[in-house]
């Protein structure tokens, strides 16, 4: 992809994020910035902290320490007159989180609502849109992800790929400033992966700001502006896809890519 022009304010920025569960340090002083219209793919072995990073970035799981900004706004916290940081009230936190869309690997659709009702829910409940306006927006988004003919179908009657495309439409319905994807194809049968990646490629081409945790190295090579490699809760290396994939600088990065490419070669035999 062409290099993204950096504006003065990042879309989202994390500074020295740490996250612990009991005595286990899952994220270790991790910092990153993502700029408007940039696509960043995060790769790494299982247990490296990738999904935890996303859950911190949208405050589903607040970090143990460190700070996150969306634009110029401190996420999840506010500063008191004496300089102390205190949790943001729930109503303000919900407003902030509506600026960050999230697509989960397990779809998380309402089973008792049709595809279009799933997409309508957020704008009606959070944004207080009129039902007719929310339905019009949802219909447009379902068409955008190739599911205009499935609007009145319940999730149980949709394939995994179709459910994930509904989930993407649902996230887009809130008009977020940034979209987070947590291994969006990992729960899909191999033949369904392509239809979800096609939607994500289209979003990337439309300059949607995205952070994508993925094991689809081919997608990262094609769609990302930057690849981040994580291991043991830290960013080991990052760079442009061509540079990172062809000439990783860190031994751990090379080891991971060598093993991945070896598995891919065996799978094609």
């Amino acid at each position: 992809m062409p290099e993204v022009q950096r504006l003065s304010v990042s879309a989202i920025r994390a500074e020295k994020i740490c996250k612990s569960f009991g005595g286990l340090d899952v994220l270790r002083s991790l910092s990153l910035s993502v700029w408007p219209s940039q696509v960043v793919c995060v790769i790494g072995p299982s247990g490296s902290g990738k999904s935890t990073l996303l859950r911190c970035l949208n405050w589903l799981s607040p970090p143990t320490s460190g700070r996150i900004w969306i634009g110029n706004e401190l996420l999840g916290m506010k500063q008191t007159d004496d300089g102390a940081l205190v949790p943001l009230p729930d109503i303000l936190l919900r407003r902030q989180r509506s600026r960050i869309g999230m697509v989960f690997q397990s779809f998380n659709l309402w089973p008792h609502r049709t595809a279009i009702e799933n997409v309508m829910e957020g704008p009606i409940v959070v944004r207080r849109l009129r039902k007719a306006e929310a339905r019009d927006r949802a219909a447009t988004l379902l068409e955008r992800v190739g599911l205009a003919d499935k609007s009145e179908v319940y999730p149980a009657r949709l394939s995994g790929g179709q459910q994930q495309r509904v989930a993407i439409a649902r996230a887009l319905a809130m008009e977020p400033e940034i979209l987070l994807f947590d291994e969006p194809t990992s729960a899909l049968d191999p033949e369904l992966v392509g239809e979800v990646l096609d939607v994500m490629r289209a979003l990337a081409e439309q300059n949607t700001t995205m952070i994508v945790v993925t094991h689809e190295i081919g997608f990262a090579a094609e769609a990302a502006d930057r690849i981040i490699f994580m291991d043991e809760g830290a960013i080991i290396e990052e760079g442009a896809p061509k540079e990172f994939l062809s000439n990783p600088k860190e031994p751990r990065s090379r080891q991971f890519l060598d093993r991945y490419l070896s598995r891919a070669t065996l799978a094609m035999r």
Side-chain angles (χ1 to χ4, degrees):
M1 294 182 63
E3 184 176 350
V4 175
Q5 181 180 4
R6 293 193 174 184
L7 305 178
S8 57
V9 179
S10 53
I12 193 165
R13 176 166 61 96
E15 184 178 283
K16 296 182 178 179
I17 294 298
C18 296
K19 182 65 179 180
S20 300
F21 296 98
L24 178 64
D25 295 329
V26 180
L27 296 178
R28 299 183 291 113
S29 195
L30 187 150
S31 299
L32 81 160
S33 294
V34 177
W35 301 89
S37 301
Q38 191 172 55
V39 178
V40 173
C41 285
V42 184
I43 65 173
S46 298
S48 59
K50 306 184 299 296
S51 294
T52 300
L53 171 62
L54 291 194
R55 293 178 69 85
C56 286
L57 290 178
N58 74 351
W59 220 254
L60 277 175
S61 181
T64 305
S65 63
R67 299 184 184 184
I68 297 168
W69 287 264
I70 177 167
N72 281 322
E73 190 173 3
L74 185 63
L75 182 63
M77 308 289 287
K78 69 174 183 177
Q79 197 164 33
T80 62
D81 292 338
D82 61 1
L85 287 177
V86 297
L88 207 61
D90 286 346
I91 189 170
L92 296 180
L93 179 59
R94 286 195 296 271
R95 179 187 61 78
Q96 282 190 335
R97 288 181 62 200
S98 71
R99 300 169 63 186
I100 307 170
M102 181 80 169
V103 178
F104 301 88
Q105 55 183 300
S106 55
F107 321 139
N108 287 9
L109 299 179
W110 295 103
H112 60 290
R113 299 188 186 279
T114 63
I116 198 166
E117 289 169 344
N118 266 278
V119 180
M120 292 167 58
E121 182 78 3
I124 291 173
V125 173
V126 180
R127 295 287 178 86
R128 305 297 183 187
L129 254 62
R130 291 182 296 106
K131 187 173 181 179
E133 184 178 354
R135 178 173 282 274
D136 287 345
R137 177 185 295 183
T140 298
L141 288 169
L142 286 174
E143 183 176 7
R144 183 175 174 183
V145 300
L147 293 174
D149 60 334
K150 302 293 184 181
S151 63
E152 302 301 333
V153 177
Y154 288 91
R157 298 184 64 85
L158 297 173
S159 70
Q162 290 169 338
Q163 289 185 60
Q164 193 61 291
R165 285 187 279 156
V166 172
I168 293 172
R170 179 184 58 185
L172 291 171
M174 296 298 292
E175 299 182 329
E177 296 169 31
I178 183 168
L179 274 178
L180 310 179
F181 292 83
D182 187 9
E183 299 203 25
T185 61
S186 64
L188 301 179
D189 292 333
E191 66 267 24
L192 301 177
V193 168
E195 64 189 62
V196 174
L197 293 182
D198 285 345
V199 171
M200 294 172 63
R201 288 187 188 96
L203 291 173
E205 290 169 359
Q206 294 156 11
N207 295 321
T208 306
T209 309
M210 301 159 60
I211 303 177
V212 184
V213 169
T214 184
H215 57 272
E216 300 287 347
I217 302 294
F219 170 80
E222 178 184 351
D225 299 290
R226 193 162 102 240
I227 293 177
I228 289 175
F229 173 67
M230 285 183 63
D231 192 28
E232 297 185 348
I235 294 176
I236 305 300
E237 184 173 351
E238 60 181 293
K242 184 176 181 180
E243 176 185 357
F244 173 78
L245 295 173
S246 64
N247 187 31
K249 296 178 175 59
E250 298 295 328
R252 182 66 183 97
S253 307
R254 290 196 295 271
Q255 180 188 50
F256 174 83
L257 288 174
D258 286 346
R259 289 179 177 175
Y260 175 87
L261 293 173
S262 295
R263 289 196 302 269
T265 300
L266 287 172
M268 289 187 292
R269 289 180 178 175

